[in-house]
Amino acid sequence: MTRLSQIEPTSLKDSGTNMCRLITDLYPICRSITGAGYRQTMQRIKEIIPLTICEVPSGTEIFDWVVPKEWNVREAYVIGPSGRKIIDFRRHNLHLLQYSHAVRLKVTLSELKEHLYSLPEHPDWIPYRTSYYKENWGFCLSQKQMDSLEEGEYEVVIDASLKDGSLTYGEYFIQGETDEEVLLSCHCCHPSLCNDNLSGIAVISALAKALTPLTLRYSYRFLFIPGMIGSITWLARNESIVARIKHGLVVSGVGDLGQLHYKRSRRGDAEIDRAAEHVLKYSGRPYQIRDFSPYGYDERQYCSPGFNLAVGALTRTPHGQYPQYHTSADDLSFISPQSLTDSLMTYAAVLRVLEGNRRYRNLNPKCEARLGKRGLYRTVGGQIDQPLRELAMLWVLNLSDGVHTLLDIADRAGIPFDLVREAADALSACDLLEEIP
Amino acid sequence: MTRLSQIEPTSLKDSGTNMCRLITDLYPICRSITGAGYRQTMQRIKEIIPLTICEVPSGTEIFDWVVPKEWNVREAYVIGPSGRKIIDFRRHNLHLLQYSHAVRLKVTLSELKEHLYSLPEHPDWIPYRTSYYKENWGFCLSQKQMDSLEEGEYEVVIDASLKDGSLTYGEYFIQGETDEEVLLSCHCCHPSLCNDNLSGIAVISALAKALTPLTLRYSYRFLFIPGMIGSITWLARNESIVARIKHGLVVSGVGDLGQLHYKRSRRGDAEIDRAAEHVLKYSGRPYQIRDFSPYGYDERQYCSPGFNLAVGALTRTPHGQYPQYHTSADDLSFISPQSLTDSLMTYAAVLRVLEGNRRYRNLNPKCEARLGKRGLYRTVGGQIDQPLRELAMLWVLNLSDGVHTLLDIADRAGIPFDLVREAADALSACDLLEEIP
Amino acid sequence: MTRLSQIEPTSLKDSGTNMCRLITDLYPICRSITGAGYRQTMQRIKEIIPLTICEVPSGTEIFDWVVPKEWNVREAYVIGPSGRKIIDFRRHNLHLLQYSHAVRLKVTLSELKEHLYSLPEHPDWIPYRTSYYKENWGFCLSQKQMDSLEEGEYEVVIDASLKDGSLTYGEYFIQGETDEEVLLSCHCCHPSLCNDNLSGIAVISALAKALTPLTLRYSYRFLFIPGMIGSITWLARNESIVARIKHGLVVSGVGDLGQLHYKRSRRGDAEIDRAAEHVLKYSGRPYQIRDFSPYGYDERQYCSPGFNLAVGALTRTPHGQYPQYHTSADDLSFISPQSLTDSLMTYAAVLRVLEGNRRYRNLNPKCEARLGKRGLYRTVGGQIDQPLRELAMLWVLNLSDGVHTLLDIADRAGIPFDLVREAADALSACDLLEEIP
């Protein structure tokens, strides 16, 4: 069977179209942290990978939290003094404050305004706002629309239900050669926001599909969860699995045109941190590394001190650092198939490092092995240049003392991991290296 | 009772006037490492804080040293060929080489010059010179005066006594909740030099007065000692106390207009080092950090390898790095009430960090605690900005694993200590944190 | 007897002439990794130091290698279509591919060209090429000569023998006060290349001669070996000695005009690494420090993981980083007596650090010792400047806690090692320090 290391990253280069199709399909659905739109989203992903869909009843205790009530909306609008529907949830999912309870009211303009949210600095955009954990109702609208509201009586209708039901999430597991796991987690709760996080959904769906037929060292677990409450729910229901998770990445904001950013795990020097940094370093393009902070997406939960998992976050422009973030401007025009493909290939490259990163012992540790007689070394000597392939072999032999991993060696040698991995393969084939279990 | 953390630094902002009054009173007194002037200085400080005054007899063995003889001067002058007093100790304390023995001599100009000290590079200033440990006599004078001396016979009179007596120092102790101590030490042996070190005397007197009424975690010990021989004497007489000293600062040169400098303890990364650096970093003004060196003031003794105490030095311009150092130009015009106040407030801020720096355990370590239900988190979500207060709480929860202190957390988070301390208080009040003893 | 520390580096300053004479004598000899020229080279070095010459039979197994056959050449030339000898080994040793087997052939130009090596980028220079481990024959020539070859029949004659014999190397050992050894190793296998490595031969011959009459803490072992195969041979035959080698340097490329470079041992922070870096730092001239890599000269073998010796390489321009490297342009005009002397003095300075680097315990660890009463401190106090000599003593006293070495102290204090060493001597003479065995 094919191993990840044998997959050419370029085999993924046509995935952009499929990823964009998925995003286009999911964009109009009204998702929240619970509800029908979330289920519909999972069903669409199931067309790509055989997702297991889990339902957790409202009220279930999950550490310091409880699974919230399920929220579903039939319609929501505001009728102005002129009798026209001036705000209508059907026109844009973002118009409704998420988790607004049912309301049918007549209010004055000033009473209404206490429940309106807009963005003065971007007068054309509708903001995204939520009130999951405090009962409230409200509408989001552009500043321009806000400014055009006239005095008079407004009719507010929110036909929504907020009642016991369940929280939905999707899970997909690939069994590898070992039970040690790599976790890939994306939040799926936002409606009509493309980069945050339909891009993440698209990238890990494509990644999961690509990994499925391969022979893999690690087992892979893909989580499609509502942000925050979803990772808390999953961790609370799967504490026995947590110890198997050796590496992980939170996947979000991977479709915009910005450069790649890696945010380290709380540990800071975990293997996933070093693998991601290595891949970005040799990507040939600008990138950013940031230290862990307890603010962001679900790495907050995976890296809480009671778990402290080796989970980082690989994104393009980090959340909150682009003006379109959490507004209607994070739409289909904000993401690009090239960026999605580049993100996917970068994720694959990081996993290729994890899969291939082993520790060896040089079986001929005293002086150098004679590579020439094994056909691994040029025969005419004296030249200035040393082929990088030979140099990689010398490094692997020199540092394979049972302590250094191939990634340690690649980093110390300043040579891309893939070349070091190939050198180790060539040396192993000559019985010059022994793998340390 | 009030805690240090509850004292607004601004409550100290009017201390400048009192500190300047003390300095003005002490300036004319002829101090040396022993003698009447030293005792008179201690009496004046006693008007501010209830100092204990200790006398240690000459000849007492203190490690490799002995307490020197006591030195007192009645008068000291030189009469020139014209019959005029051309140098007179009554005009300026610095005119007399400290510890000059009694002399009544007629000498030629060239014989006299072997006992004269001046500063060619600053022709108007009188240098400060000492000969504590080798019997000698001499006078210090300006280069201008030196240049004007004519050939002829000079009459030298030094009516001084150098005989068994005692070494004097002052000590003030505030008992805190624990017996662990913070040491604040200043040298008081220099006559008529304002920055070095009437400024130090003034700042720690004011600090001692401000701390006295407070509820304090640590006990505080203030030493008003002659430089070098005083700290050796104190350490030799108090070896049993030394183990209680957890943190300390040597206080000198805190009145000039230069920026603040912190010189690290020999340990280099002691809590006092990190606290002082944290405070300077968030001071909003330029500052300097220097590594320990075994040259300077009494940190030389506290940081000798047999003690290796966590004692740093917080000064303005370091000793020897300003031309006025150890000259008559270090006078009342060289220091400013604003600098003294700023130094005092900085010392208070460093102590506030020490007092408040604790280690906690997050009692809800798996996933984040639900801050919203405890009134600690905003209710509408989706915005880009995270209030720093909330971020501080997330950091405290994330890193309170029983290992990291609040200062560790503040440094890693890049958030001022006071905000982190407040976050820990708010979380403790909700039973989310447990203090590690 | 005289110690190394008592030798003024300037006593070596006239060594340049002798080193150049040796290089001039050795330049014309045809050396390879075995053979008569190698033996002749060892005999010439024996005129300077009483070298032991070792012969190891061809076929001896040495780790993953075997000692190769011995190679000797009587004559080697190519006669062109015109009947003239157009390439003749007698004119330049580099003309012949090293380890060419015997050949007597008539060939066409294109057949000949498969066995010719030239340097298009330097058309006047003859390259140096070898084929030690694969049977082959060939000639090296300038690109200009290559371009002038006409079509026609060529007669190739190589009258060489490649048969069982032995590998020769020279070894010189100086017994010191302890059996712990410093290794100095240079490769001697290259013919008619001055910087690489007649310069290394000259410098360590002169160094060995200078050390011989001294009282030395360490024993010193000088190896004059063929590159690569020589160090493998020596290590295979002397495994029981290896544990005694505490420090070592590979000596090559020490005669060109470039700045000094130190390449760290595989350990990276061994005492030899710190000593060499200290000396270069205080040399007052630009220099470079490079991390270890497993490509270079015999440090590859000494630093293989089964030995991992503390062996660095101190060179001028590193191998391969100058265009003349491994070409006929690395001739007598490429090296200078000044560079050779400077290299020699730098080696001596590094050894002086190793010889003098000890660890002491301050016998008066509580507070400072009273240096004045021992005549080690100025008697008049108050000045701004602290003599560096006094400062060095304060540092030695402060850090001599049984942990820090004098080199640690010099590095932390920012004071040249020699001054710190003198301070330790002065303090030891007053019984203030005790050496830690």
Side-chain angles (χ1 to χ4, degrees):
Chain A
M1 274 176 78
T2 314
R3 291 204 156 268
L4 183 55
S5 59
Q6 295 164 305
I7 298 244
E8 279 302 302
T10 48
S11 71
L12 301 168
K13 75 175 190 299
D14 298 324
S15 315
T17 317
N18 286 335
M19 290 192 281
C20 283
R21 188 175 315 129
L22 176 65
I23 291 172
T24 307
D25 288 355
L26 296 177
Y27 183 68
I29 299 173
C30 173
R31 272 172 302 281
S32 183
I33 54 174
T34 60
Y38 203 96
R39 280 184 203 101
Q40 194 180 342
T41 301
M42 295 300 108
Q43 289 301 334
R44 176 64 182 84
I45 298 167
K46 218 172 167 174
E47 296 171 17
I48 303 164
I49 45 171
L51 212 58
T52 303
I53 296 171
C54 310
E55 300 282 349
V56 185
S58 301
T60 306
E61 293 201 3
I62 44 171
F63 300 126
D64 197 37
W65 302 69
V66 290
V67 173
K69 290 181 177 166
E70 183 175 327
W71 184 62
N72 285 290
V73 189
R74 269 167 302 273
E75 58 178 358
Y77 54 83
V78 177
I79 295 177
S82 65
R84 267 196 318 114
K85 273 194 192 168
I86 54 157
I87 310 177
D88 190 350
F89 168 66
R90 286 184 208 267
R91 268 185 245 139
H92 205 300
N93 286 315
L94 296 186
H95 275 317
L96 185 59
L97 175 74
Q98 288 237 328
Y99 265 61
S100 285
H101 57 69
V103 150
R104 193 170 291 268
L105 275 177
K106 302 219 170 176
V107 293
T108 64
L109 176 58
S110 81
E111 286 165 345
L112 177 64
K113 279 193 167 177
E114 288 174 22
H115 293 267
L116 296 184
Y117 302 90
S118 65
L119 285 173
E121 63 276 34
H122 296 290
D124 287 315
W125 299 352
I126 308 164
Y128 164 65
R129 292 291 178 269
T130 67
S131 188
Y132 303 133
Y133 303 109
K134 182 179 162 84
E135 291 228 350
N136 197 356
W137 65 266
F139 286 89
C140 303
L141 71 174
S142 73
Q143 185 63 34
K144 274 193 184 157
Q145 208 179 355
M146 177 82 98
D147 294 341
S148 70
L149 298 182
E150 297 164 5
E151 292 295 335
E153 192 184 67
Y154 287 81
E155 186 186 350
V156 176
V157 174
I158 301 178
D159 181 4
S161 65
L162 190 52
K163 56 186 182 193
D164 282 348
S166 62
L167 176 149
T168 310
Y169 65 83
E171 187 165 2
Y172 177 54
F173 181 74
I174 307 174
Q175 177 68 46
E177 291 172 328
T178 69
D179 288 339
E180 294 189 340
E181 295 188 11
V182 178
L183 177 71
L184 291 145
S185 171
C186 74
H187 63 276
C188 310
C189 47
H190 294 183
S192 304
L193 295 171
C194 283
N195 195 44
D196 182 26
N197 189 26
L198 295 177
S199 70
I201 295 173
V203 164
I204 74 167
S205 299
L207 189 62
K209 187 176 179 187
L211 293 184
T212 299
L214 303 182
T215 299
L216 296 163
R217 168 187 184 184
Y218 289 109
S219 297
Y220 284 79
R221 187 175 300 274
F222 298 84
L223 297 183
F224 297 82
I225 51 176
M228 185 132 186
I229 195 70
S231 51
I232 297 172
T233 301
W234 189 88
L235 285 163
R237 287 163 51 97
N238 294 281
E239 281 199 71
S240 62
I241 289 175
V242 166
R244 293 186 217 150
I245 299 173
K246 295 302 169 198
H247 321 283
L249 290 169
V250 167
V251 188
S252 71
V254 287
D256 66 283
L257 295 172
Q259 56 185 230
L260 286 159
H261 281 67
Y262 180 70
K263 175 183 169 182
R264 294 186 178 121
S265 75
R266 182 180 183 272
R267 299 182 187 183
D269 62 349
E271 192 174 339
I272 183 67
D273 300 320
R274 298 197 35 233
E277 294 182 40
H278 183 90
V279 166
L280 292 182
K281 182 175 171 187
Y282 288 95
S283 68
R285 284 161 298 146
Y287 64 93
Q288 296 277 337
I289 305 290
R290 294 179 301 144
D291 274 321
F292 175 76
S293 83
Y295 189 57
Y297 282 113
D298 291 301
E299 67 274 18
R300 291 163 68 159
Q301 312 310 325
Y302 300 126
C303 297
S304 58
F307 293 114
N308 195 25
L309 295 178
V311 174
L314 179 57
T315 67
R316 303 197 78 88
T317 310
H319 80 99
Q321 296 191 12
Y322 48 99
Q324 297 85 350
Y325 174 77
H326 280 189
T327 75
S328 56
D330 179 6
D331 60 13
L332 290 162
S333 72
F334 185 61
I335 58 171
S336 92
Q338 289 74 22
S339 288
L340 289 163
T341 305
D342 178 69
S343 299
L344 175 61
M345 286 168 59
T346 305
Y347 269 87
V350 173
L351 299 185
R352 202 156 51 233
V353 173
L354 296 177
E355 287 278 317
N357 189 26
R358 310 265 175 153
R359 189 179 272 114
Y360 293 88
R361 181 173 291 117
N362 179 343
L363 294 173
N364 186 73
K366 292 182 176 173
C367 298
E368 286 176 21
R370 191 170 159 192
L371 298 178
K373 74 176 176 193
R374 296 172 176 94
L376 298 176
Y377 217 77
R378 72 212 132 122
T379 56
V380 171
Q383 305 92 329
I384 286 188
D385 296 329
Q386 172 83 346
L388 202 55
R389 199 180 59 81
E390 288 178 17
L391 200 52
M393 283 190 286
L394 294 179
W395 273 109
V396 170
L397 288 174
N398 189 272
L399 292 179
S400 284
D401 49 9
V403 174
H404 298 90
T405 65
L406 294 185
L407 182 54
D408 292 335
I409 296 172
D411 280 342
R412 181 154 169 192
I415 295 177
F417 180 82
D418 288 348
L419 268 179
V420 169
R421 177 67 263 178
E422 284 167 25
D425 288 339
L427 294 167
S428 294
C430 297
D431 292 325
L432 286 170
L433 293 182
E434 167 188 67
E435 190 181 331
I436 308 285
Chain B
M1 275 179 77
T2 314
R3 290 203 156 269
L4 182 54
S5 59
Q6 296 164 307
I7 298 244
E8 280 301 305
T10 48
S11 71
L12 301 168
K13 76 174 191 299
D14 297 325
S15 314
T17 317
N18 286 336
M19 291 192 279
C20 282
R21 188 174 313 128
L22 175 65
I23 291 172
T24 308
D25 288 356
L26 295 178
Y27 183 67
I29 299 173
C30 173
R31 271 172 303 280
S32 183
I33 55 173
T34 60
Y38 204 97
R39 280 185 202 100
Q40 194 182 341
T41 301
M42 294 301 107
Q43 289 301 335
R44 176 62 183 82
I45 298 168
K46 217 171 166 174
E47 295 172 17
I48 302 165
I49 45 172
L51 211 58
T52 302
I53 297 170
C54 310
E55 300 282 349
V56 186
S58 302
T60 304
E61 293 201 2
I62 45 172
F63 301 126
D64 197 38
W65 302 69
V66 290
V67 173
K69 290 180 177 168
E70 184 175 327
W71 184 61
N72 285 292
V73 190
R74 269 167 303 273
E75 58 178 0
Y77 54 83
V78 177
I79 295 177
S82 66
R84 267 194 319 113
K85 274 194 190 168
I86 55 157
I87 309 176
D88 190 351
F89 168 66
R90 285 185 210 268
R91 269 185 244 140
H92 206 298
N93 286 314
L94 296 186
H95 274 316
L96 185 58
L97 176 73
Q98 288 236 330
Y99 264 62
S100 285
H101 57 69
V103 151
R104 193 169 290 269
L105 275 178
K106 303 221 169 171
V107 293
T108 65
L109 176 58
S110 82
E111 286 166 344
L112 178 64
K113 280 193 167 176
E114 288 175 20
H115 292 266
L116 296 185
Y117 302 91
S118 66
L119 287 173
E121 63 276 36
H122 296 289
D124 287 316
W125 300 352
I126 308 165
Y128 164 65
R129 291 290 178 271
T130 67
S131 188
Y132 303 134
Y133 303 109
K134 181 180 161 86
E135 291 229 348
N136 196 356
W137 66 266
F139 286 89
C140 302
L141 73 174
S142 73
Q143 185 63 34
K144 273 195 184 156
Q145 207 179 355
M146 177 81 98
D147 294 341
S148 70
L149 298 182
E150 297 165 5
E151 292 295 335
E153 192 185 67
Y154 287 81
E155 185 186 350
V156 176
V157 174
I158 301 179
D159 182 3
S161 64
L162 190 54
K163 57 186 183 192
D164 282 349
S166 62
L167 177 151
T168 309
Y169 66 83
E171 187 165 1
Y172 176 54
F173 182 74
I174 307 175
Q175 177 68 47
E177 291 171 328
T178 69
D179 288 339
E180 294 189 339
E181 295 189 10
V182 178
L183 177 72
L184 291 145
S185 171
C186 74
H187 65 276
C188 309
C189 48
H190 293 184
S192 304
L193 294 170
C194 284
N195 196 44
D196 181 27
N197 191 24
L198 295 177
S199 69
I201 295 173
V203 164
I204 73 166
S205 299
L207 189 62
K209 187 176 177 185
L211 294 185
T212 299
L214 303 181
T215 299
L216 296 163
R217 170 187 182 184
Y218 289 110
S219 297
Y220 285 80
R221 188 175 299 274
F222 298 84
L223 297 184
F224 297 82
I225 52 176
M228 184 132 188
I229 194 70
S231 51
I232 296 172
T233 301
W234 188 87
L235 286 163
R237 287 163 52 98
N238 294 281
E239 281 200 70
S240 63
I241 288 175
V242 166
R244 291 185 218 151
I245 299 173
K246 296 300 170 199
H247 320 284
L249 290 169
V250 166
V251 188
S252 71
V254 287
D256 65 281
L257 295 173
Q259 55 186 229
L260 285 160
H261 281 66
Y262 179 70
K263 175 183 168 182
R264 293 186 178 123
S265 75
R266 182 179 183 274
R267 299 182 187 182
D269 62 349
E271 192 173 339
I272 183 67
D273 299 320
R274 298 197 36 232
E277 294 182 40
H278 183 91
V279 166
L280 291 182
K281 182 175 172 189
Y282 288 96
S283 68
R285 283 161 298 147
Y287 65 93
Q288 297 277 337
I289 305 290
R290 293 179 301 144
D291 273 323
F292 176 76
S293 82
Y295 189 57
Y297 282 115
D298 291 301
E299 66 273 18
R300 291 162 69 159
Q301 312 311 324
Y302 300 127
C303 297
S304 58
F307 293 114
N308 195 24
L309 295 178
V311 173
L314 179 56
T315 67
R316 304 197 78 89
T317 310
H319 81 98
Q321 296 191 12
Y322 48 98
Q324 297 85 351
Y325 174 75
H326 279 190
T327 76
S328 55
D330 179 6
D331 61 12
L332 290 163
S333 72
F334 184 61
I335 58 171
S336 91
Q338 289 74 22
S339 289
L340 290 163
T341 304
D342 177 69
S343 299
L344 175 61
M345 286 166 59
T346 304
Y347 270 87
V350 173
L351 300 185
R352 202 157 51 231
V353 173
L354 296 177
E355 287 277 318
N357 189 26
R358 311 265 176 154
R359 188 179 273 113
Y360 293 88
R361 181 174 290 117
N362 179 343
L363 294 173
N364 186 73
K366 293 182 176 175
C367 299
E368 286 176 22
R370 191 169 159 192
L371 299 178
K373 74 178 176 192
R374 296 172 176 94
L376 298 176
Y377 216 78
R378 72 213 132 120
T379 55
V380 172
Q383 306 92 329
I384 286 188
D385 295 330
Q386 172 82 347
L388 202 55
R389 198 180 59 80
E390 288 178 17
L391 201 52
M393 284 190 287
L394 293 179
W395 273 109
V396 170
L397 288 174
N398 189 272
L399 291 180
S400 284
D401 49 9
V403 173
H404 297 89
T405 65
L406 294 185
L407 182 54
D408 293 335
I409 297 172
D411 280 341
R412 180 155 170 192
I415 295 177
F417 180 84
D418 288 348
L419 268 179
V420 169
R421 177 67 263 180
E422 284 167 25
D425 288 339
L427 294 167
S428 295
C430 296
D431 293 325
L432 287 170
L433 294 182
E434 166 187 66
E435 190 181 332
I436 308 286
Chain C
M1 275 177 77
T2 315
R3 291 203 155 269
L4 182 56
S5 60
Q6 295 164 306
I7 299 244
E8 280 302 304
T10 49
S11 71
L12 302 167
K13 75 173 191 300
D14 297 325
S15 315
T17 317
N18 286 335
M19 290 192 281
C20 282
R21 188 175 314 129
L22 177 64
I23 291 171
T24 308
D25 288 355
L26 295 177
Y27 182 68
I29 299 172
C30 173
R31 272 172 301 281
S32 183
I33 55 174
T34 60
Y38 204 96
R39 281 186 202 99
Q40 193 182 341
T41 301
M42 295 299 108
Q43 289 301 335
R44 176 64 183 82
I45 297 168
K46 216 171 167 176
E47 295 172 17
I48 303 164
I49 45 171
L51 212 58
T52 302
I53 296 171
C54 310
E55 300 283 350
V56 185
S58 301
T60 305
E61 293 200 3
I62 44 171
F63 301 126
D64 196 38
W65 302 68
V66 290
V67 173
K69 291 181 178 166
E70 182 174 328
W71 184 61
N72 285 291
V73 189
R74 269 168 301 275
E75 57 178 0
Y77 54 83
V78 177
I79 295 177
S82 66
R84 266 193 321 112
K85 274 194 191 168
I86 54 156
I87 310 176
D88 190 352
F89 169 65
R90 287 185 209 268
R91 269 185 245 140
H92 206 298
N93 286 313
L94 296 186
H95 274 316
L96 185 59
L97 176 73
Q98 289 237 328
Y99 264 61
S100 285
H101 57 69
V103 152
R104 194 170 291 266
L105 275 178
K106 301 217 173 179
V107 293
T108 63
L109 176 59
S110 81
E111 286 167 344
L112 178 65
K113 279 194 168 176
E114 287 175 21
H115 292 268
L116 297 184
Y117 302 90
S118 65
L119 285 173
E121 63 275 35
H122 296 290
D124 287 315
W125 301 352
I126 309 164
Y128 164 65
R129 292 289 178 272
T130 67
S131 187
Y132 302 133
Y133 303 109
K134 182 180 163 82
E135 291 228 350
N136 197 355
W137 65 266
F139 286 88
C140 303
L141 72 173
S142 73
Q143 186 62 35
K144 274 195 184 156
Q145 208 179 354
M146 178 83 99
D147 294 340
S148 70
L149 298 182
E150 297 166 4
E151 291 296 333
E153 191 185 68
Y154 287 80
E155 184 186 351
V156 176
V157 175
I158 301 179
D159 181 5
S161 64
L162 190 52
K163 56 187 183 192
D164 282 348
S166 62
L167 177 149
T168 310
Y169 67 83
E171 187 165 1
Y172 176 54
F173 181 74
I174 307 174
Q175 177 68 47
E177 291 172 328
T178 68
D179 288 340
E180 294 189 340
E181 294 188 12
V182 179
L183 177 73
L184 291 146
S185 172
C186 74
H187 64 277
C188 309
C189 48
H190 294 183
S192 305
L193 295 170
C194 283
N195 195 43
D196 181 27
N197 190 24
L198 295 178
S199 70
I201 295 172
V203 164
I204 74 166
S205 300
L207 189 62
K209 187 176 177 186
L211 293 185
T212 299
L214 303 182
T215 299
L216 296 162
R217 169 188 183 183
Y218 288 109
S219 297
Y220 285 79
R221 188 176 299 274
F222 299 84
L223 297 183
F224 298 83
I225 52 176
M228 185 131 187
I229 196 70
S231 51
I232 296 172
T233 302
W234 189 88
L235 285 163
R237 286 163 52 97
N238 294 281
E239 281 200 71
S240 62
I241 288 175
V242 167
R244 292 186 217 151
I245 299 173
K246 295 302 169 198
H247 320 284
L249 290 169
V250 167
V251 188
S252 72
V254 287
D256 65 281
L257 295 173
Q259 56 186 230
L260 286 160
H261 280 66
Y262 180 70
K263 174 183 169 182
R264 293 186 178 121
S265 75
R266 181 179 184 273
R267 299 182 187 181
D269 63 348
E271 192 173 339
I272 184 67
D273 299 321
R274 300 200 31 236
E277 294 182 39
H278 183 91
V279 166
L280 291 182
K281 182 173 172 189
Y282 288 96
S283 68
R285 283 161 299 145
Y287 65 93
Q288 296 277 338
I289 304 290
R290 293 179 301 144
D291 274 322
F292 175 76
S293 82
Y295 189 57
Y297 282 114
D298 291 301
E299 66 274 16
R300 291 163 68 161
Q301 312 310 325
Y302 300 127
C303 297
S304 57
F307 293 113
N308 195 24
L309 294 178
V311 173
L314 179 56
T315 67
R316 304 198 77 88
T317 309
H319 81 100
Q321 297 191 10
Y322 48 99
Q324 297 85 350
Y325 175 76
H326 279 191
T327 75
S328 57
D330 179 7
D331 61 12
L332 290 163
S333 72
F334 184 61
I335 58 170
S336 91
Q338 289 73 24
S339 289
L340 290 163
T341 304
D342 178 69
S343 299
L344 175 61
M345 286 167 59
T346 304
Y347 270 86
V350 173
L351 300 185
R352 203 158 49 233
V353 172
L354 296 177
E355 288 277 317
N357 189 26
R358 311 263 176 155
R359 189 178 273 112
Y360 294 87
R361 182 173 291 116
N362 179 342
L363 295 172
N364 186 73
K366 292 182 176 172
C367 299
E368 287 177 21
R370 192 170 159 192
L371 299 178
K373 75 177 176 193
R374 296 172 175 94
L376 298 175
Y377 217 78
R378 73 211 132 123
T379 56
V380 172
Q383 305 91 330
I384 285 186
D385 296 329
Q386 172 82 347
L388 202 55
R389 199 180 58 80
E390 289 179 15
L391 200 53
M393 284 190 287
L394 294 178
W395 273 109
V396 170
L397 288 174
N398 189 273
L399 291 179
S400 284
D401 48 10
V403 174
H404 298 89
T405 65
L406 294 185
L407 182 55
D408 293 334
I409 297 172
D411 280 341
R412 179 154 170 192
I415 295 177
F417 181 83
D418 287 348
L419 268 179
V420 168
R421 177 67 264 177
E422 283 168 25
D425 287 339
L427 295 167
S428 296
C430 296
D431 293 325
L432 286 170
L433 294 181
E434 168 188 66
E435 190 181 331
I436 308 285

